[in-house]
Structure formats: structure tokens, C-alpha cells
Amino acid sequence: RGVEIVLPLLREWGDFKKPLDTSSFENSEVWQRTQGDFIITTRGRLFGVEVKTEAKYTGNLFAETYSNAFPDQYERHGWLKTETGALVYLNVFLDVAAVFQMRLPRLREWCIVEGNAKRFPVVVPHRSANGEQRNITLGHCIPLAAIIEPVGVVCYRLIEGKLKRCELHEIERSRSA
């Protein structure tokens, strides 16, 4: 459902009407772990887009640092560390029909290079919105309000079938309504 919400945005950004879904590629796991869920061409340049969907808006971003984690064992780095080719990160919250867009390299720099992620709690386990995720993931639970300015997050709301730019306080207000 989250992908359906952001597809018009991806089409608007791209030169083609259909973004390339990396899950359909040969060696799709490698593509998804490095480039994200979709690849878009804009003005002749390719860039990756990662889309994460949450059922419920909490006001937080889950920045995954480890995937397939088991107690005292970390098999793989999470998307925050591995998706070096993805340029854009989209976090969709279904219950408030909101999308948060940010540049993944800037989010990574803010979280890891500048060390800001350490200010926020590590959360374990984190389960996917659809409940299908069997593995445990570890990551930091970061308030979206903390990254709006320093990371340059753009907020959208789905209104009458179209994504429209909005402010964080509008999403917060809709959550309490």
C-alpha cells in the first residue's frame, strides 16, 4: 500500500512513467540492498529510491542499522548502512496518509558520520507493518521533528488522491484528530 501512495511521486520525478522495481531484477537481493526498492532515471541519471511503510504513525523514523539480527549476533548491516546507491528515502505512514522524503546520503551522514543516532534509543525488535518480517532488526528510533531541519525532510499528505506538501505540525494534528 505504501508503494501505491508514492508511485505518483516517483513518476513525477522520473523521465519514464514507470520506475524500475529492483525486486524484478536478476540478483534482486544485491540490487535492493545497495540501490533500494526502485530505480528512477532523471535527466539521464539513475538513482535509487528506498520506500519503507509503517502501519501507524508514531512521530518517529526507524533507522535500521542491523538486519537479520539474533541475540549477540549481527548477520548484516541494515539499510541505513548498506544502501549506498539509494539517493532518496521515503517513509510512508498509512494511518495518517503521510510521506516523509529525505536524501538518504544526508540522513546517513547525520546519523552515522555526525554521530547523532547515538542520542536516540536502539529499538529491538522491529517488525514490518504487514507482520511478514520474520527476522529481528535493530535500529535507532529517531523523532522526525529532530531531523526535519538538519536532514532536510519534506513532508507530504495524501489528500483527495494526490500527494501534497505539508508541514510536520499538520500531520501531528491529523494524528490527534
Side-chain angles (χ1 to χ4, degrees), residues 20-32:
L20 302 172
D21 183 345
T22 57
S23 68
S24 66
F25 291 9
E26 186 174 331
N27 298 321
S28 63
E29 184 176 321
V30 173
W31 281 95
Q32 287 187 317

Side-chain angles (χ1 to χ4, degrees), residues 3-174:
V3 169
E4 292 171 20
I5 290 172
V6 299
L7 269 177
L9 199 58
L10 299 179
R11 288 184 186 119
E12 179 183 316
W13 293 340
D15 296 335
F16 303 108
K17 295 298 175 205
K18 185 175 182 193
L20 302 172
D21 183 345
T22 57
S23 68
S24 66
F25 291 9
E26 186 174 331
N27 298 321
S28 63
E29 184 176 321
V30 173
W31 281 95
Q32 287 187 317
R33 288 194 58 72
T34 59
Q35 304 298 314
D37 297 314
F38 296 96
I39 293 180
I40 294 178
T41 304
T42 300
R43 290 177 287 231
R45 293 184 58 210
L46 296 174
F47 68 89
V49 177
E50 176 66 21
V51 179
K52 294 292 184 192
T53 303
E54 302 291 342
K56 187 173 172 96
Y57 178 76
T58 62
N60 298 308
L61 166 86
F62 179 74
E64 181 188 75
T65 52
Y66 289 97
S67 180
N68 292 334
F70 297 96
D72 301 320
Q73 178 182 351
Y74 303 104
E75 291 187 16
R76 294 191 309 197
H77 287 296
W79 61 261
L80 185 64
K81 295 180 177 184
T82 60
E83 290 182 11
T84 55
L87 180 63
V88 176
Y89 175 78
L90 299 171
N91 203 170
V92 181
F93 293 92
L94 298 177
D95 65 331
V96 292
V99 177
F100 294 86
Q101 170 208 327
M102 59 205 81
R103 289 183 58 246
L104 190 51
R106 178 62 190 127
L107 176 63
R108 185 179 301 110
E109 178 183 9
W110 187 86
C111 287
I112 298 171
V113 177
E114 296 174 16
N116 288 298
K118 293 177 185 172
R119 297 179 10 218
F120 304 101
V122 172
V123 179
V124 59
H126 178 76
R127 298 288 180 201
S128 63
N130 60 15
E132 293 177 9
Q133 186 171 335
R134 293 186 202 118
N135 62 308
I136 296 173
T137 63
L138 298 175
H140 295 275
C141 188
I142 301 172
L144 285 158
I147 62 172
I148 293 285
E149 292 294 323
V151 175
V153 177
V154 178
C155 305
Y156 296 91
R157 292 264 337 262
L158 186 64
I159 301 170
E160 297 175 2
K162 295 187 178 192
L163 282 175
K164 297 184 180 182
R165 283 181 95 150
C166 68
E167 299 294 324
L168 178 62
H169 67 86
E170 295 173 73
I171 295 166
E172 292 288 333
R173 194 171 43 234
S174 73

